[in-house]
Every structure is written in C-alpha cells, then in structure tokens.
Amino acid sequence: MGGALSVVAAPVAARAAEATADLAARLREAAPLGRAVRLPPGVTTIRSLELPAGAILIGARGGSTLRLVGPGPLLYCRDADRLTLEAVSFDGGGASLEEGRGLLDFSDVVRLSVSGCAIRNSSRHGVNLLRCGGIFKENLIERVRDAGYHSLDGLGVDIAGNKVRECGDNGVMVWTTQAGSFEGSRIRDNAIADIHNLSGGDGPYGNGVSIWGSGSVRVENNRIDRCAYTAVRNNAGHDVVVVGNQCRSFGEKAMYAEFGAKRSEFRNNLIEDAGGGIAVANAEKGTDVAVVSGNRIFGLKETHPDREFGPEMFWQVGILAEKNCSISGNLVRGPAWIGIVLGGYRENIRVEDNEVVGADYGVGFATGRNVGTGMIVRNKITASRKAAICAMAGPSFIGDDLLGPKGDKIWPGLILRDNSVE
C-alpha cells in the first residue's frame, strides 16, 4: 500500500468541521497514491464525511474512534472500485440518520474491505450497502436501531467472524430487489445475539439473518442466540444453504424458507428453545424444493411473538414442509407438539430415517381431496404422549394412531412402512 500519511490529532477544543476537513484533505491526497491514512489513538469527532474512491483508513494500535456529530451518515462513498477500513471504531453518538441509511453507508463499491472495526450507536442501520461486494470480517456491531448489517442487490460479500448484537430489528440482512437474483454472499462464523423487533409485524423484523430474494447465499457455522423471531428467515431466496449453525432462544420458528423460496437446504443445524424448528412453508406462494437433513431440534415451547402465531401456524413443530421436500436424518426431542408435519397439500414429501422423542405427536400428515404423495418410512418415534403417526385436517388430528392397533394403515397417496415405536 505504500507509505502511510499520519493524521495529527486536533486539539480537544477544535470544531468537528475542522477535523472533518483535515481528514478529508488527507484522504484525497492519499487515495490516488494507494496510501493509507492512519488515525491517531483516541476519539476524533467529525461530521459526515464522503470517502474518495480508493481510500484506505486504518486505526492506531491503541484504538481509534471516529464519532459523529450532526446528521449522518458518519462515512459514505459512492462508485468506487476499492475501499478499505481497518481497526477503527465508528460511533454514531446518537446522531440522526435518514430512514434506510447506515452509520457506514456505501453504494457501488466493487471491492469493499471492512475488518477489525466496531460500529456502535447508530440511529438506523449499522452498515448499509447498495450493490457492493468484498469482505466484511471480524467486526463488532452493537446498539443499532434497525439492522446491524444491511445489503441490497449485493455483489457477494464474505461476511465472516463478526459479532452482531443488540439490534432493534434484524441482525444481518441480505436482500435483492428481484427474487432469485444471484447475490452470492457467504454469512459464516458470526456470533449474532439479542435481536429485537422494534418495528413490529409478524416476521419482517426480529431475525438473526434475514434473506429476501437473494440467490446462492450460504449461512454457515454461525452462533445465533436470543432473537425475537427467527435465527434464519429465507423469504423468496433461491438456492440458499443454511448449514452447521447453532441457534438458541427464539420467539417464533427458528428457521424458515417461505413465500417463494426455492431449492432451500437446511443441514446439520442445532436448534434449541424456540417456538418451532424449521418450516418450509407457503407452497401456494411458490415455495418449492427443499432438503432438511441432519438437524437437531430440542425443547420447543409455547410462545406469543404476535397474535397470529399459534396452532394454525403449527407452532411447537420440529419440522414442517409442504412441497417437494426431503426430510431425513433429523432428531427432534421434546417437549414439542408435533415432531414432523407433512403439511399444505402434501406434495411429494419424503420423511425418512428421522428420530422423534417426547413429542405429543411424532408425525402428522395433511389429508383432503387435493393432497399429493408422501412417504413416512424408517422413522423411530419414542415416548409420544398422544400418537406416533396421525392424520390431520388443518391443525386438528383425525382418526387413530396409524402405528397403534386401531390405526388405518392406508391413506391415498401415502406410503407408510418400516417405522418403529418405543
């Protein structure tokens, strides 16, 4: 990167405008040369600052903070091939931001690199990106009003090793304006916690990871705790893979693929203490094709995040799917209302080699005139309090336990074999 230009700390009494002008001048001088501007230790108070393309801003080893006074964003940049921020703390200081903006607010930055930074006290998003790509790693985001990290129509960002906590609405949001658009971000190895739902509603807010429309996003090996709604909500995303996450304490179902999500995968996740486990729902809105495999789901509970969430939405259910879904090798351990549900119009759902322990009902399946096919084979169902496998009409159970002595083993379109009950 060449030599570094030092920023001389302004006197304590200097006005923020002077500090802003000084920093802006040094950035303009350094950026074309590929040189870094190094901040001094301590707190530098500035006004909203536009970064030039190619800017490299690095904090001091002893800790450097840029604190915003006046309207935000604190830093913004448009139309840059490259932008680098490293080891700097960014403090919103309670300053106002327009709705939809972030304390750090960047658009059309092709190779963005933000690493080792802290983003705090934003009155809107912590970070707001529009059509950006690059790396966002090992940062801390905390105490923000809206989302910690918000990206729209991204070019693929490696979002890795960050801590995101105490956010008013969502933790990490990766959205596109058109459903199915390739986005390509990788959300991995992050710790996301204490995500609230200040804006209300029945699911748009209160999620650890929120995906809307984005294609080919991976959510892997994250620790997600204490969210008002879900750990991972995939709304209309295509080819989204959710794998190896550890998730605890949610007011609603821990994971969703819904409202037009296609080719979703949920594999090897751990879910504990939630209103429900994994739902592949809203087939009538286009949700289609999913794999739910190798997940462990423990301790589902009655929750009331909103008035709609209840039996009609299949709360306290380990896994629910409606169309073209393979459910295999999962463990659901109660308490739970139902371990696994073949719901909706039950179109081509395979439930194989799962274990359900301590649920009221082990497996429930939809019935009705227009239901499709389903398979329930080689599952182990232990200590069910009411029935091992039972037919359903909506959220209500009908008939006897199919694995009991009075159960009707023949239902149109349903294959039932080699299941065990203990």
Side-chain angles (χ1 to χ4, degrees), residues 174 183-187 211 214-219 238-242:
V174 176
E183 206 279 347
S185 284
R186 190 176 178 194
I187 306 167
I211 295 167
S214 302
S216 300
V217 173
R218 292 182 65 89
V219 183
H238 295 190
D239 303 292
V240 173
V241 177
V242 181

Side-chain angles (χ1 to χ4, degrees), residues 98-173:
E98 295 178 2
E99 186 174 357
R101 302 297 296 273
L103 190 65
L104 304 183
D105 202 278
F106 306 130
S107 58
D108 299 294
V109 179
V110 178
R111 288 178 287 179
L112 174 67
S113 177
V114 182
S115 62
C117 294
I119 298 101
R120 298 186 174 99
N121 303 320
S122 173
S123 61
R124 289 297 178 183
H125 299 313
V127 177
N128 183 56
L129 307 180
L130 176 62
R131 297 182 298 271
C132 292
I135 297 171
F136 188 85
K137 68 176 184 179
E138 297 175 0
N139 302 290
L140 168 65
I141 302 176
E142 62 182 355
R143 299 191 299 273
V144 303
R145 167 56 181 80
D146 294 342
Y149 174 102
H150 177 269
S151 172
L152 182 64
D153 293 333
L155 308 179
V157 178
D158 189 12
I159 307 164
N162 303 284
K163 295 180 180 179
V164 181
R165 61 198 186 200
E166 299 177 52
C167 300
D169 276 341
N170 288 305
V172 174
M173 298 178 68

Side-chain angles (χ1 to χ4, degrees), residues 331-335 355-359 380-384:
L331 170 62
V332 179
R333 186 181 296 276
E355 183 175 0
V356 179
V357 181
K380 181 179 180 181
I381 302 170
T382 304
S384 296

Side-chain angles (χ1 to χ4, degrees), residues 330-343:
N330 302 282
L331 170 62
V332 179
R333 186 181 296 276
W337 180 35
I338 314 171
I340 299 171
V341 172
L342 296 76

